[in-house]
Amino acid sequence: MRKLSVSFEPHIWVNVHSGMEALFMPYDHKNTTPEGIPSKIMKSMLEKLNHFHLKDHCLIGSGGGSVGYLAHGTATDYMYDIARVPMAFTFEIYGDLKASSRDCFKMFNPIDIASFNSVLNDWSAAFFQMFTIGVQQMNGLQPKAIGSSFDNWVSIDDYLNGYLMHRKSRYGKKMEVLDLGLQEIRTYFRLFLLSSVLLLFMFCSRISKSTRPIVSAMAL
């Protein structure tokens, strides 16, 4: 995602979650929102989306100040603070607060067709509206976004092609995409086996150190 954000300098970032209904803006790692005009623009846009498409059901604010805990190192904070994407959001698109804590799937997903279609229609409309509003709100945002031009944009296909070519050169031979994927899986599997062996060794060593000889006593 870092390479992708640098390749064409996006104006909007959205991290999609489920678990509740909310429209979050930075920050996740502290109980505050950014200062100045950018923060006001983001909040205004979220309020419009919430009112016109989401029936005012969504909580609006910073993730860190709304969910009850601070989350460090999130993608949304990275995109806003480091990659300098002028509008970065986290959307929580569904949550069943009445579901049992033992039913994780029901807590995070609509389980009937009516609820599914409602979530799909409402949030699709909100996303399309966000793209329309976002274009109109470019003035007053961070300088990097204003200075970027469409000439610098790179399609996702071109980006992935470049990524695959880079991976091919790393392995020193021409590989098809499927072969490349299998090579990656083998590499990660070897690392997994190595870490498993090391953990097993540590576990067995700890058991051997904690073992004490057992002396049985017999009544004479």
Side-chain angles (χ1 to χ4, degrees):
M1 295 309 300
R2 183 188 67 81
K3 292 181 179 179
L4 191 58
S5 68
V6 171
S7 70
F8 69 97
E9 300 179 359
H11 293 87
I12 299 176
W13 158 267
V14 182
N15 194 1
V16 180
H17 287 234
S18 65
M20 60 188 301
E21 291 180 297
L23 298 164
F24 291 144
M25 53 191 288
Y27 291 101
D28 295 328
H29 69 281
K30 54 185 176 181
N31 184 9
T32 186
T33 57
E35 298 179 353
I37 295 176
S39 179
K40 295 179 181 179
I41 291 176
M42 285 190 288
K43 186 174 182 181
S44 173
M45 187 164 70
L46 294 181
E47 289 173 345
K48 291 178 181 178
L49 295 179
N50 192 30
H51 180 70
F52 290 108
H53 297 287
L54 304 170
K55 306 177 182 67
D56 291 319
H57 287 169
C58 291
L59 185 65
I60 295 177
S62 71
S66 303
V67 298
Y69 61 89
L70 301 180
H72 297 271
T74 65
T76 297
D77 283 359
Y78 177 88
M79 288 295 174
Y80 186 78
D81 265 350
I82 307 301
R84 308 299 288 175
V85 177
M87 289 187 283
F89 306 111
T90 298
F91 287 178
E92 296 273 0
I93 66 173
Y94 179 82
D96 188 348
L97 302 180
K98 297 180 181 179
S100 169
S101 59
R102 297 182 178 180
D103 193 345
C104 187
F105 186 85
K106 187 177 181 181
M107 289 174 63
F108 294 92
N109 301 274
I111 60 173
D112 59 83
I113 190 64
S115 298
F116 176 83
N117 286 334
S118 176
V119 171
L120 183 63
N121 293 334
D122 290 346
W123 284 96
S124 294
F127 268 93
F128 285 121
Q129 184 65 27
M130 177 185 63
F131 299 144
T132 302
I133 298 175
V135 173
Q136 302 169 356
Q137 300 292 337
M138 287 298 103
N139 292 330
L141 294 177
Q142 295 173 2
K144 176 181 176 181
I146 299 174
S148 63
S149 67
F150 290 97
D151 295 335
N152 295 328
W153 287 31
V154 178
S155 73
I156 186 66
D157 292 332
D158 291 341
Y159 171 80
L160 290 178
N161 287 336
Y163 172 79
L164 291 175
M165 289 301 296
H166 171 73
R167 302 298 285 178
K168 289 177 183 179
S169 62
R170 172 185 168 185
Y171 290 110
K173 57 183 178 180
K174 185 176 180 180
M175 304 175 69
E176 297 297 331
V177 174
L178 180 59
D179 294 333
L180 183 62
L182 292 175
Q183 179 69 48
E184 293 285 295
I185 292 174
R186 293 189 191 100
T187 301
Y188 291 128
F189 185 68
R190 293 189 190 102
L191 292 174
F192 171 75
L193 288 179
L194 178 61
S195 61
S196 299
V197 171
L198 291 175
L199 287 173
L200 182 61
F201 175 76
M202 294 170 61
F203 180 72
C204 294
S205 300
R206 186 168 183 176
I207 290 178
S208 63
K209 291 180 180 179
S210 61
T211 303
R212 296 290 184 271
I214 300 175
V215 178
S216 59
M218 296 180 61
L220 298 177

